[in-house]
Amino acid sequence: MGILDKKVAVVSGAAMGNGWGIAKVFGREGAHVGMLDVSDEVFEAAKAFEGQGLRVSAYKVDVTDFGAVKEAVDDLAKQQGKIDILVNNAGIAKLIPFLEMTDEIRDLHFDVNINGAWNCTKAVLPFMVEKNYGKIVNISSVTGPIVADTGETAYAITKAALWGFTKALAMEVVRNNINVNAICPGMIDTPMVRKAVAEIMPDDPQAIIDAMASGIPMKKMGTPEDIGELAAFLASDRASYITGQPFVIDGGSTLPESALSLME
Ligand SMILES: NC(=O)c1ccc[n+]([C@@H]2O[C@H](COP(=O)([O-])OP(=O)(O)OC[C@H]3O[C@@H](n4cnc5c(N)ncnc54)[C@H](O)[C@@H]3O)[C@@H](O)[C@H]2O)c1
């Protein structure tokens, strides 16, 4: 028996990367997972999971479109009779220096990363309130609340905003038996990171990946399944006395006080 046995979950941005890892671990732990993603790849990912015996439903949905999100969530709830878990994971990151960042690209970050989480929560929360049970996990980042690199102003705002959203929502629904927490990943090896790295150094992206890994005390990037394991714990009843908290998962990357501790 898995720690999410008989639970019904919605995971946004589940076609690849962290959302894919979260859906995989949730499925393995016994949940039925509603995979929402703007990309057609969500259908292939769902098919592959079904081939492994996991229970999933795929929906092609843009999280910025509340009507589309609600339609998918309502359909899943109708099929499965309830929704226990929501993971607000869908997100974008474009590394652009502040003075070159257009208002449109800034607003795109706000729309997907903040309003997307808002829309999914609005669509799912009534089902949780109805059953007096729920677990919400917001995928924030160490970027913004704790650290930042150049080119990350718009992205950092959105990830810091999710900390505030997590705390305020946690207070609002605490009496409905709904827990709301946030996960703050460090460097995770996903298509988002691989794409950003390929743009910085198209000739040798692996050199940047290696350089990034060498700056992490564990000397490696995390995997989407690492994020899935933490999300599964926070979405389970094992974490029932935890709410309103951010959890850093970064191989120790925010830990060193000086570069001295990273020297071989
Ligand atoms: N990879 C990292 O190192 C890292 C670190 C910290 C936080 N995060 C966060 O983890 C989350 C996932 O990131 P990732 O690295 O897996 O990215 P990714 O680009 O590899 O995957 C993101 C997924 O979200 C989907 N998506 C994007 N916009 C969407 C929209 N409007 N509606 C529905 N789906 C949409 C994409 O199609 C894709 O499947 C993001 O919130 C990101 O900020 C990632």
mmCIF file of all heavy atoms in Angstrom, residues 12-20 36-39 41 61-65 88-93 111-113 139-143 155 158-159 162 183-193 195 221 224 227, ligand 1:
data_model
loop_
_atom_site.group_PDB
_atom_site.id
_atom_site.type_symbol
_atom_site.label_atom_id
_atom_site.label_comp_id
_atom_site.label_asym_id
_atom_site.label_seq_id
_atom_site.Cartn_x
_atom_site.Cartn_y
_atom_site.Cartn_z
ATOM 1 N N SER A 12 -0.244 20.093 -12.099
ATOM 2 C CA SER A 12 -0.124 20.943 -13.292
ATOM 3 C C SER A 12 1.302 20.874 -13.843
ATOM 4 O O SER A 12 2.263 20.674 -13.100
ATOM 5 C CB SER A 12 -0.510 22.389 -12.972
ATOM 6 O OG SER A 12 0.468 23.001 -12.168
ATOM 7 N N GLY A 13 1.421 21.036 -15.156
ATOM 8 C CA GLY A 13 2.744 20.974 -15.795
ATOM 9 C C GLY A 13 3.355 19.595 -15.679
ATOM 10 O O GLY A 13 4.536 19.439 -15.402
ATOM 11 N N ALA A 14 2.518 18.549 -15.931
ATOM 12 C CA ALA A 14 2.938 17.176 -15.636
ATOM 13 C C ALA A 14 3.510 16.428 -16.844
ATOM 14 O O ALA A 14 3.832 15.252 -16.741
ATOM 15 C CB ALA A 14 1.755 16.389 -15.053
ATOM 16 N N ALA A 15 3.651 17.104 -17.989
ATOM 17 C CA ALA A 15 4.135 16.387 -19.180
ATOM 18 C C ALA A 15 5.615 16.069 -19.101
ATOM 19 O O ALA A 15 6.082 15.100 -19.698
ATOM 20 C CB ALA A 15 3.858 17.217 -20.435
ATOM 21 N N MET A 16 6.357 16.909 -18.379
ATOM 22 C CA MET A 16 7.820 16.705 -18.315
ATOM 23 C C MET A 16 8.357 17.339 -17.035
ATOM 24 O O MET A 16 7.632 18.009 -16.299
ATOM 25 C CB MET A 16 8.494 17.320 -19.550
ATOM 26 C CG MET A 16 8.337 18.820 -19.650
ATOM 27 S SD MET A 16 8.864 19.492 -21.240
ATOM 28 C CE MET A 16 7.412 19.253 -22.255
ATOM 29 N N GLY A 17 9.640 17.133 -16.801
ATOM 30 C CA GLY A 17 10.311 17.809 -15.684
ATOM 31 C C GLY A 17 9.739 17.443 -14.322
ATOM 32 O O GLY A 17 9.320 16.301 -14.085
ATOM 33 N N ASN A 18 9.720 18.421 -13.434
ATOM 34 C CA ASN A 18 9.307 18.151 -12.050
ATOM 35 C C ASN A 18 7.875 17.622 -11.957
ATOM 36 O O ASN A 18 7.585 16.736 -11.150
ATOM 37 C CB ASN A 18 9.440 19.421 -11.204
ATOM 38 C CG ASN A 18 10.893 19.800 -10.988
ATOM 39 O OD1 ASN A 18 11.776 18.941 -11.016
ATOM 40 N ND2 ASN A 18 11.157 21.076 -10.777
ATOM 41 N N GLY A 19 6.971 18.173 -12.782
ATOM 42 C CA GLY A 19 5.573 17.732 -12.746
ATOM 43 C C GLY A 19 5.458 16.268 -13.143
ATOM 44 O O GLY A 19 4.673 15.508 -12.564
ATOM 45 N N TRP A 20 6.258 15.873 -14.125
ATOM 46 C CA TRP A 20 6.308 14.471 -14.559
ATOM 47 C C TRP A 20 6.804 13.593 -13.405
ATOM 48 O O TRP A 20 6.244 12.525 -13.120
ATOM 49 C CB TRP A 20 7.227 14.374 -15.779
ATOM 50 C CG TRP A 20 7.494 12.993 -16.255
ATOM 51 C CD1 TRP A 20 6.757 12.276 -17.148
ATOM 52 C CD2 TRP A 20 8.596 12.155 -15.859
ATOM 53 N NE1 TRP A 20 7.322 11.035 -17.332
ATOM 54 C CE2 TRP A 20 8.448 10.933 -16.558
ATOM 55 C CE3 TRP A 20 9.669 12.319 -14.995
ATOM 56 C CZ2 TRP A 20 9.351 9.879 -16.405
ATOM 57 C CZ3 TRP A 20 10.568 11.272 -14.841
ATOM 58 C CH2 TRP A 20 10.404 10.075 -15.544
ATOM 59 N N LEU A 36 -2.274 17.805 -15.903
ATOM 60 C CA LEU A 36 -2.643 18.982 -16.698
ATOM 61 C C LEU A 36 -1.385 19.562 -17.331
ATOM 62 O O LEU A 36 -0.376 19.765 -16.634
ATOM 63 C CB LEU A 36 -3.265 20.061 -15.793
ATOM 64 C CG LEU A 36 -4.778 20.007 -15.540
ATOM 65 C CD1 LEU A 36 -5.219 18.658 -15.029
ATOM 66 C CD2 LEU A 36 -5.191 21.111 -14.577
ATOM 67 N N ASP A 37 -1.441 19.852 -18.628
ATOM 68 C CA ASP A 37 -0.278 20.491 -19.259
ATOM 69 C C ASP A 37 -0.712 21.165 -20.555
ATOM 70 O O ASP A 37 -1.619 20.697 -21.230
ATOM 71 C CB ASP A 37 0.827 19.467 -19.550
ATOM 72 C CG ASP A 37 2.201 20.114 -19.630
ATOM 73 O OD1 ASP A 37 2.465 20.854 -20.606
ATOM 74 O OD2 ASP A 37 3.019 19.898 -18.712
ATOM 75 N N VAL A 38 -0.021 22.239 -20.890
ATOM 76 C CA VAL A 38 -0.319 22.974 -22.124
ATOM 77 C C VAL A 38 0.229 22.236 -23.343
ATOM 78 O O VAL A 38 -0.187 22.501 -24.478
ATOM 79 C CB VAL A 38 0.247 24.422 -22.019
ATOM 80 C CG1 VAL A 38 1.766 24.429 -22.140
ATOM 81 C CG2 VAL A 38 -0.386 25.356 -23.027
ATOM 82 N N SER A 39 1.157 21.307 -23.108
ATOM 83 C CA SER A 39 1.810 20.598 -24.215
ATOM 84 C C SER A 39 1.099 19.280 -24.531
ATOM 85 O O SER A 39 0.663 18.559 -23.631
ATOM 86 C CB SER A 39 3.270 20.313 -23.821
ATOM 87 O OG SER A 39 3.814 19.326 -24.657
ATOM 88 N N GLU A 41 2.514 16.751 -25.258
ATOM 89 C CA GLU A 41 3.341 15.660 -24.705
ATOM 90 C C GLU A 41 2.717 15.031 -23.465
ATOM 91 O O GLU A 41 3.123 13.962 -23.031
ATOM 92 C CB GLU A 41 4.758 16.172 -24.393
ATOM 93 C CG GLU A 41 5.548 16.445 -25.653
ATOM 94 C CD GLU A 41 6.990 16.839 -25.374
ATOM 95 O OE1 GLU A 41 7.618 16.225 -24.500
ATOM 96 O OE2 GLU A 41 7.464 17.772 -26.043
ATOM 97 N N VAL A 61 -4.297 21.497 -21.086
ATOM 98 C CA VAL A 61 -4.867 22.703 -20.475
ATOM 99 C C VAL A 61 -3.780 23.749 -20.260
ATOM 100 O O VAL A 61 -2.691 23.431 -19.789
ATOM 101 C CB VAL A 61 -5.470 22.339 -19.080
ATOM 102 C CG1 VAL A 61 -5.792 23.584 -18.287
ATOM 103 C CG2 VAL A 61 -6.708 21.483 -19.239
ATOM 104 N N ASP A 62 -4.099 24.991 -20.601
ATOM 105 C CA ASP A 62 -3.213 26.111 -20.265
ATOM 106 C C ASP A 62 -3.683 26.653 -18.915
ATOM 107 O O ASP A 62 -4.835 27.094 -18.789
ATOM 108 C CB ASP A 62 -3.330 27.187 -21.363
ATOM 109 C CG ASP A 62 -2.370 28.343 -21.152
ATOM 110 O OD1 ASP A 62 -1.948 28.572 -19.998
ATOM 111 O OD2 ASP A 62 -2.049 29.016 -22.145
ATOM 112 N N VAL A 63 -2.798 26.649 -17.921
ATOM 113 C CA VAL A 63 -3.225 27.050 -16.572
ATOM 114 C C VAL A 63 -3.607 28.525 -16.481
ATOM 115 O O VAL A 63 -4.216 28.947 -15.497
ATOM 116 C CB VAL A 63 -2.170 26.707 -15.487
ATOM 117 C CG1 VAL A 63 -2.015 25.213 -15.306
ATOM 118 C CG2 VAL A 63 -0.834 27.395 -15.756
ATOM 119 N N THR A 64 -3.265 29.310 -17.503
ATOM 120 C CA THR A 64 -3.653 30.730 -17.467
ATOM 121 C C THR A 64 -5.124 30.912 -17.853
ATOM 122 O O THR A 64 -5.676 31.998 -17.715
ATOM 123 C CB THR A 64 -2.770 31.584 -18.415
ATOM 124 O OG1 THR A 64 -3.022 31.193 -19.767
ATOM 125 C CG2 THR A 64 -1.296 31.425 -18.097
ATOM 126 N N ASP A 65 -5.748 29.837 -18.351
ATOM 127 C CA ASP A 65 -7.138 29.898 -18.813
ATOM 128 C C ASP A 65 -8.037 29.237 -17.760
ATOM 129 O O ASP A 65 -8.164 28.008 -17.723
ATOM 130 C CB ASP A 65 -7.216 29.167 -20.172
ATOM 131 C CG ASP A 65 -8.631 29.112 -20.736
ATOM 132 O OD1 ASP A 65 -9.596 29.462 -20.017
ATOM 133 O OD2 ASP A 65 -8.769 28.691 -21.900
ATOM 134 N N ASN A 88 0.564 22.680 -7.568
ATOM 135 C CA ASN A 88 0.739 23.792 -8.499
ATOM 136 C C ASN A 88 2.196 23.820 -8.930
ATOM 137 O O ASN A 88 3.055 24.396 -8.259
ATOM 138 C CB ASN A 88 0.353 25.109 -7.813
ATOM 139 C CG ASN A 88 -1.144 25.262 -7.702
ATOM 140 O OD1 ASN A 88 -1.879 25.056 -8.660
ATOM 141 N ND2 ASN A 88 -1.620 25.627 -6.514
ATOM 142 N N ASN A 89 2.460 23.147 -10.059
ATOM 143 C CA ASN A 89 3.846 22.989 -10.517
ATOM 144 C C ASN A 89 4.140 23.726 -11.823
ATOM 145 O O ASN A 89 5.279 24.141 -12.040
ATOM 146 C CB ASN A 89 4.137 21.489 -10.697
ATOM 147 C CG ASN A 89 5.402 21.251 -11.495
ATOM 148 O OD1 ASN A 89 6.507 21.330 -10.960
ATOM 149 N ND2 ASN A 89 5.272 20.985 -12.786
ATOM 150 N N ALA A 90 3.138 23.894 -12.703
ATOM 151 C CA ALA A 90 3.413 24.486 -14.026
ATOM 152 C C ALA A 90 4.109 25.829 -13.859
ATOM 153 O O ALA A 90 3.703 26.658 -13.049
ATOM 154 C CB ALA A 90 2.108 24.668 -14.800
ATOM 155 N N GLY A 91 5.182 26.011 -14.605
ATOM 156 C CA GLY A 91 5.910 27.276 -14.490
ATOM 157 C C GLY A 91 6.821 27.488 -15.672
ATOM 158 O O GLY A 91 7.157 26.548 -16.402
ATOM 159 N N ILE A 92 7.199 28.749 -15.881
ATOM 160 C CA ILE A 92 8.168 29.076 -16.935
ATOM 161 C C ILE A 92 9.280 29.940 -16.334
ATOM 162 O O ILE A 92 9.084 30.589 -15.291
ATOM 163 C CB ILE A 92 7.511 29.852 -18.104
ATOM 164 C CG1 ILE A 92 6.836 31.143 -17.595
ATOM 165 C CG2 ILE A 92 6.518 28.988 -18.851
ATOM 166 C CD1 ILE A 92 6.617 32.175 -18.674
ATOM 167 N N ALA A 93 10.428 29.920 -16.988
ATOM 168 C CA ALA A 93 11.557 30.763 -16.558
ATOM 169 C C ALA A 93 12.321 31.207 -17.791
ATOM 170 O O ALA A 93 12.811 30.363 -18.541
ATOM 171 C CB ALA A 93 12.464 29.972 -15.628
ATOM 172 N N ASP A 111 1.600 35.535 -15.208
ATOM 173 C CA ASP A 111 0.390 34.836 -15.626
ATOM 174 C C ASP A 111 0.494 33.325 -15.406
ATOM 175 O O ASP A 111 -0.411 32.707 -14.848
ATOM 176 C CB ASP A 111 0.141 35.132 -17.110
ATOM 177 C CG ASP A 111 -1.315 35.437 -17.360
ATOM 178 O OD1 ASP A 111 -2.012 35.777 -16.396
ATOM 179 O OD2 ASP A 111 -1.749 35.311 -18.516
ATOM 180 N N VAL A 112 1.600 32.730 -15.866
ATOM 181 C CA VAL A 112 1.739 31.270 -15.736
ATOM 182 C C VAL A 112 2.062 30.903 -14.288
ATOM 183 O O VAL A 112 1.394 30.054 -13.684
ATOM 184 C CB VAL A 112 2.843 30.725 -16.684
ATOM 185 C CG1 VAL A 112 3.003 29.212 -16.494
ATOM 186 C CG2 VAL A 112 2.523 31.055 -18.140
ATOM 187 N N ASN A 113 3.074 31.549 -13.708
ATOM 188 C CA ASN A 113 3.597 31.081 -12.423
ATOM 189 C C ASN A 113 2.715 31.482 -11.234
ATOM 190 O O ASN A 113 2.619 30.729 -10.271
ATOM 191 C CB ASN A 113 5.017 31.619 -12.203
ATOM 192 C CG ASN A 113 5.997 31.140 -13.268
ATOM 193 O OD1 ASN A 113 5.614 30.459 -14.208
ATOM 194 N ND2 ASN A 113 7.255 31.492 -13.139
ATOM 195 N N ILE A 139 4.826 24.626 -6.003
ATOM 196 C CA ILE A 139 6.244 24.502 -6.354
ATOM 197 C C ILE A 139 6.807 25.914 -6.531
ATOM 198 O O ILE A 139 6.604 26.578 -7.553
ATOM 199 C CB ILE A 139 6.470 23.638 -7.603
ATOM 200 C CG1 ILE A 139 5.789 22.261 -7.439
ATOM 201 C CG2 ILE A 139 7.976 23.483 -7.845
ATOM 202 C CD1 ILE A 139 6.265 21.402 -6.265
ATOM 203 N N SER A 140 7.502 26.360 -5.503
ATOM 204 C CA SER A 140 8.182 27.660 -5.524
ATOM 205 C C SER A 140 9.601 27.408 -6.020
ATOM 206 O O SER A 140 9.819 26.675 -6.995
ATOM 207 C CB SER A 140 8.136 28.261 -4.110
ATOM 208 O OG SER A 140 8.910 29.423 -4.009
ATOM 209 N N SER A 141 10.606 27.957 -5.354
ATOM 210 C CA SER A 141 12.001 27.778 -5.763
ATOM 211 C C SER A 141 12.890 28.384 -4.676
ATOM 212 O O SER A 141 12.421 29.182 -3.862
ATOM 213 C CB SER A 141 12.254 28.504 -7.088
ATOM 214 O OG SER A 141 13.602 28.375 -7.479
ATOM 215 N N VAL A 142 14.172 28.023 -4.706
ATOM 216 C CA VAL A 142 15.116 28.792 -3.869
ATOM 217 C C VAL A 142 15.348 30.151 -4.527
ATOM 218 O O VAL A 142 15.724 31.121 -3.865
ATOM 219 C CB VAL A 142 16.466 28.051 -3.667
ATOM 220 C CG1 VAL A 142 16.268 26.776 -2.873
ATOM 221 C CG2 VAL A 142 17.170 27.768 -4.994
ATOM 222 N N THR A 143 15.100 30.223 -5.858
ATOM 223 C CA THR A 143 15.304 31.474 -6.599
ATOM 224 C C THR A 143 14.216 32.477 -6.244
ATOM 225 O O THR A 143 13.037 32.224 -6.478
ATOM 226 C CB THR A 143 15.253 31.211 -8.129
ATOM 227 O OG1 THR A 143 16.205 30.218 -8.454
ATOM 228 C CG2 THR A 143 15.548 32.491 -8.899
ATOM 229 N N TYR A 155 11.177 35.956 -12.934
ATOM 230 C CA TYR A 155 10.974 34.613 -12.369
ATOM 231 C C TYR A 155 11.034 34.657 -10.839
ATOM 232 O O TYR A 155 10.187 34.077 -10.155
ATOM 233 C CB TYR A 155 12.063 33.686 -12.923
ATOM 234 C CG TYR A 155 11.996 32.262 -12.422
ATOM 235 C CD1 TYR A 155 10.976 31.407 -12.804
ATOM 236 C CD2 TYR A 155 12.979 31.762 -11.561
ATOM 237 C CE1 TYR A 155 10.919 30.098 -12.356
ATOM 238 C CE2 TYR A 155 12.933 30.448 -11.106
ATOM 239 C CZ TYR A 155 11.901 29.618 -11.508
ATOM 240 O OH TYR A 155 11.857 28.321 -11.051
ATOM 241 N N THR A 158 7.937 35.841 -9.055
ATOM 242 C CA THR A 158 6.822 34.888 -9.031
ATOM 243 C C THR A 158 7.040 33.793 -7.990
ATOM 244 O O THR A 158 6.101 33.340 -7.344
ATOM 245 C CB THR A 158 6.601 34.235 -10.408
ATOM 246 O OG1 THR A 158 7.732 33.418 -10.761
ATOM 247 C CG2 THR A 158 6.368 35.265 -11.487
ATOM 248 N N LYS A 159 8.297 33.371 -7.836
ATOM 249 C CA LYS A 159 8.551 32.263 -6.907
ATOM 250 C C LYS A 159 8.476 32.751 -5.461
ATOM 251 O O LYS A 159 8.052 32.004 -4.565
ATOM 252 C CB LYS A 159 9.903 31.624 -7.232
ATOM 253 C CG LYS A 159 9.909 30.916 -8.580
ATOM 254 C CD LYS A 159 9.019 29.677 -8.553
ATOM 255 C CE LYS A 159 8.307 29.361 -9.812
ATOM 256 N NZ LYS A 159 7.539 28.113 -9.757
ATOM 257 N N LEU A 162 4.822 32.942 -4.463
ATOM 258 C CA LEU A 162 4.188 31.672 -4.073
ATOM 259 C C LEU A 162 4.398 31.355 -2.591
ATOM 260 O O LEU A 162 3.615 30.622 -1.995
ATOM 261 C CB LEU A 162 4.692 30.525 -4.965
ATOM 262 C CG LEU A 162 4.160 30.534 -6.408
ATOM 263 C CD1 LEU A 162 4.746 29.373 -7.200
ATOM 264 C CD2 LEU A 162 2.631 30.474 -6.457
ATOM 265 N N ILE A 183 7.256 23.759 -1.912
ATOM 266 C CA ILE A 183 8.552 23.114 -2.136
ATOM 267 C C ILE A 183 9.436 24.108 -2.886
ATOM 268 O O ILE A 183 8.990 24.753 -3.841
ATOM 269 C CB ILE A 183 8.384 21.817 -2.953
ATOM 270 C CG1 ILE A 183 7.668 20.769 -2.101
ATOM 271 C CG2 ILE A 183 9.732 21.295 -3.431
ATOM 272 C CD1 ILE A 183 7.406 19.448 -2.811
ATOM 273 N N CYS A 184 10.679 24.235 -2.424
ATOM 274 C CA CYS A 184 11.613 25.191 -3.028
ATOM 275 C C CYS A 184 12.813 24.416 -3.564
ATOM 276 O O CYS A 184 13.798 24.199 -2.836
ATOM 277 C CB CYS A 184 12.070 26.201 -1.986
ATOM 278 S SG CYS A 184 10.675 26.983 -1.171
ATOM 279 N N PRO A 185 12.730 23.980 -4.829
ATOM 280 C CA PRO A 185 13.849 23.213 -5.375
ATOM 281 C C PRO A 185 15.042 24.108 -5.699
ATOM 282 O O PRO A 185 14.887 25.277 -6.034
ATOM 283 C CB PRO A 185 13.277 22.612 -6.665
ATOM 284 C CG PRO A 185 11.790 22.842 -6.617
ATOM 285 C CD PRO A 185 11.603 24.061 -5.782
ATOM 286 N N GLY A 186 16.225 23.482 -5.619
ATOM 287 C CA GLY A 186 17.432 24.118 -6.147
ATOM 288 C C GLY A 186 17.549 23.731 -7.611
ATOM 289 O O GLY A 186 16.578 23.807 -8.355
ATOM 290 N N MET A 187 18.746 23.283 -8.030
ATOM 291 C CA MET A 187 18.965 22.918 -9.437
ATOM 292 C C MET A 187 18.479 21.502 -9.713
ATOM 293 O O MET A 187 19.072 20.539 -9.219
ATOM 294 C CB MET A 187 20.462 22.960 -9.760
ATOM 295 C CG MET A 187 21.040 24.346 -9.725
ATOM 296 S SD MET A 187 20.440 25.282 -11.127
ATOM 297 C CE MET A 187 21.273 26.833 -10.814
ATOM 298 N N ILE A 188 17.429 21.370 -10.492
ATOM 299 C CA ILE A 188 16.888 20.054 -10.829
ATOM 300 C C ILE A 188 17.062 19.840 -12.340
ATOM 301 O O ILE A 188 16.800 20.760 -13.134
ATOM 302 C CB ILE A 188 15.386 19.956 -10.452
ATOM 303 C CG1 ILE A 188 15.141 20.462 -9.008
ATOM 304 C CG2 ILE A 188 14.886 18.524 -10.632
ATOM 305 C CD1 ILE A 188 15.868 19.739 -7.902
ATOM 306 N N ASP A 189 17.494 18.657 -12.705
ATOM 307 C CA ASP A 189 17.770 18.364 -14.114
ATOM 308 C C ASP A 189 16.462 18.122 -14.864
ATOM 309 O O ASP A 189 15.932 17.012 -14.889
ATOM 310 C CB ASP A 189 18.685 17.133 -14.218
ATOM 311 C CG ASP A 189 19.275 16.993 -15.608
ATOM 312 O OD1 ASP A 189 18.840 17.726 -16.532
ATOM 313 O OD2 ASP A 189 20.175 16.161 -15.774
ATOM 314 N N THR A 190 15.926 19.198 -15.453
ATOM 315 C CA THR A 190 14.658 19.121 -16.191
ATOM 316 C C THR A 190 14.845 19.774 -17.564
ATOM 317 O O THR A 190 15.823 20.501 -17.781
ATOM 318 C CB THR A 190 13.544 19.894 -15.452
ATOM 319 O OG1 THR A 190 13.883 21.282 -15.475
ATOM 320 C CG2 THR A 190 13.369 19.423 -14.017
ATOM 321 N N PRO A 191 13.875 19.594 -18.479
ATOM 322 C CA PRO A 191 13.963 20.279 -19.775
ATOM 323 C C PRO A 191 14.103 21.798 -19.636
ATOM 324 O O PRO A 191 14.776 22.436 -20.440
ATOM 325 C CB PRO A 191 12.645 19.893 -20.457
ATOM 326 C CG PRO A 191 12.319 18.557 -19.880
ATOM 327 C CD PRO A 191 12.761 18.620 -18.445
ATOM 328 N N MET A 192 13.486 22.398 -18.575
ATOM 329 C CA MET A 192 13.594 23.850 -18.384
ATOM 330 C C MET A 192 15.054 24.269 -18.230
ATOM 331 O O MET A 192 15.540 25.205 -18.874
ATOM 332 C CB MET A 192 12.814 24.279 -17.136
ATOM 333 C CG MET A 192 12.942 25.760 -16.790
ATOM 334 S SD MET A 192 12.314 26.151 -15.130
ATOM 335 C CE MET A 192 10.574 26.418 -15.456
ATOM 336 N N VAL A 193 15.788 23.532 -17.398
ATOM 337 C CA VAL A 193 17.197 23.859 -17.137
ATOM 338 C C VAL A 193 18.042 23.547 -18.369
ATOM 339 O O VAL A 193 18.887 24.345 -18.779
ATOM 340 C CB VAL A 193 17.692 23.094 -15.895
ATOM 341 C CG1 VAL A 193 19.197 23.205 -15.747
ATOM 342 C CG2 VAL A 193 16.984 23.627 -14.647
ATOM 343 N N LYS A 195 17.147 23.593 -21.452
ATOM 344 C CA LYS A 195 16.864 24.593 -22.489
ATOM 345 C C LYS A 195 17.608 25.895 -22.189
ATOM 346 O O LYS A 195 18.243 26.491 -23.069
ATOM 347 C CB LYS A 195 15.355 24.846 -22.534
ATOM 348 C CG LYS A 195 14.863 25.278 -23.900
ATOM 349 C CD LYS A 195 13.346 25.283 -23.931
ATOM 350 C CE LYS A 195 12.848 26.580 -24.548
ATOM 351 N NZ LYS A 195 11.507 26.946 -24.181
ATOM 352 N N MET A 221 23.037 17.568 -9.697
ATOM 353 C CA MET A 221 21.724 18.188 -9.727
ATOM 354 C C MET A 221 20.689 17.195 -9.205
ATOM 355 O O MET A 221 20.919 15.999 -9.214
ATOM 356 C CB MET A 221 21.373 18.606 -11.158
ATOM 357 C CG MET A 221 22.267 19.722 -11.672
ATOM 358 S SD MET A 221 21.998 20.064 -13.394
ATOM 359 C CE MET A 221 20.494 20.999 -13.320
ATOM 360 N N PRO A 224 13.717 15.018 -11.089
ATOM 361 C CA PRO A 224 12.277 15.232 -10.894
ATOM 362 C C PRO A 224 11.676 14.259 -9.870
ATOM 363 O O PRO A 224 10.750 14.610 -9.143
ATOM 364 C CB PRO A 224 11.703 15.004 -12.293
ATOM 365 C CG PRO A 224 12.817 15.395 -13.211
ATOM 366 C CD PRO A 224 14.070 14.933 -12.525
ATOM 367 N N ILE A 227 11.948 15.557 -6.362
ATOM 368 C CA ILE A 227 10.865 16.507 -6.045
ATOM 369 C C ILE A 227 9.575 15.732 -5.781
ATOM 370 O O ILE A 227 8.807 16.045 -4.870
ATOM 371 C CB ILE A 227 10.670 17.520 -7.206
ATOM 372 C CG1 ILE A 227 11.989 18.257 -7.501
ATOM 373 C CG2 ILE A 227 9.563 18.518 -6.878
ATOM 374 C CD1 ILE A 227 12.618 18.968 -6.336
HETATM 375 N N1 LIG B 1 14.251 22.762 -12.746
HETATM 376 C C1 LIG B 1 14.646 23.459 -11.725
HETATM 377 O O1 LIG B 1 15.846 23.529 -11.432
HETATM 378 C C2 LIG B 1 13.641 24.164 -10.858
HETATM 379 C C3 LIG B 1 14.102 24.797 -9.705
HETATM 380 C C4 LIG B 1 13.201 25.453 -8.893
HETATM 381 C C5 LIG B 1 11.850 25.452 -9.207
HETATM 382 N N2 LIG B 1 11.425 24.845 -10.337
HETATM 383 C C6 LIG B 1 9.986 24.905 -10.628
HETATM 384 O O2 LIG B 1 9.490 23.625 -10.949
HETATM 385 C C7 LIG B 1 8.367 23.766 -11.821
HETATM 386 C C8 LIG B 1 8.578 22.879 -13.031
HETATM 387 O O3 LIG B 1 9.782 23.272 -13.670
HETATM 388 P P1 LIG B 1 10.589 22.309 -14.644
HETATM 389 O O4 LIG B 1 12.017 22.623 -14.440
HETATM 390 O O5 LIG B 1 10.095 20.928 -14.524
HETATM 391 O O6 LIG B 1 10.127 22.953 -16.045
HETATM 392 P P2 LIG B 1 9.913 22.242 -17.469
HETATM 393 O O7 LIG B 1 9.913 23.379 -18.456
HETATM 394 O O8 LIG B 1 10.906 21.173 -17.648
HETATM 395 O O9 LIG B 1 8.457 21.660 -17.349
HETATM 396 C C9 LIG B 1 7.368 22.543 -17.123
HETATM 397 C C10 LIG B 1 6.081 21.916 -17.585
HETATM 398 O O10 LIG B 1 5.038 22.891 -17.369
HETATM 399 C C11 LIG B 1 4.278 22.999 -18.569
HETATM 400 N N3 LIG B 1 3.692 24.337 -18.687
HETATM 401 C C12 LIG B 1 4.334 25.490 -18.949
HETATM 402 N N4 LIG B 1 3.453 26.503 -19.066
HETATM 403 C C13 LIG B 1 2.228 25.965 -18.858
HETATM 404 C C14 LIG B 1 0.912 26.490 -18.881
HETATM 405 N N5 LIG B 1 0.668 27.790 -19.149
HETATM 406 N N6 LIG B 1 -0.118 25.661 -18.611
HETATM 407 C C15 LIG B 1 0.090 24.340 -18.373
HETATM 408 N N7 LIG B 1 1.322 23.791 -18.367
HETATM 409 C C16 LIG B 1 2.376 24.587 -18.612
HETATM 410 C C17 LIG B 1 5.255 22.699 -19.692
HETATM 411 O O11 LIG B 1 4.606 22.329 -20.893
HETATM 412 C C18 LIG B 1 6.088 21.584 -19.081
HETATM 413 O O12 LIG B 1 5.507 20.324 -19.291
HETATM 414 C C19 LIG B 1 8.278 25.245 -12.174
HETATM 415 O O13 LIG B 1 7.306 25.857 -11.375
HETATM 416 C C20 LIG B 1 9.654 25.761 -11.824
HETATM 417 O O14 LIG B 1 9.638 27.124 -11.493
HETATM 418 C C21 LIG B 1 12.278 24.220 -11.199
#
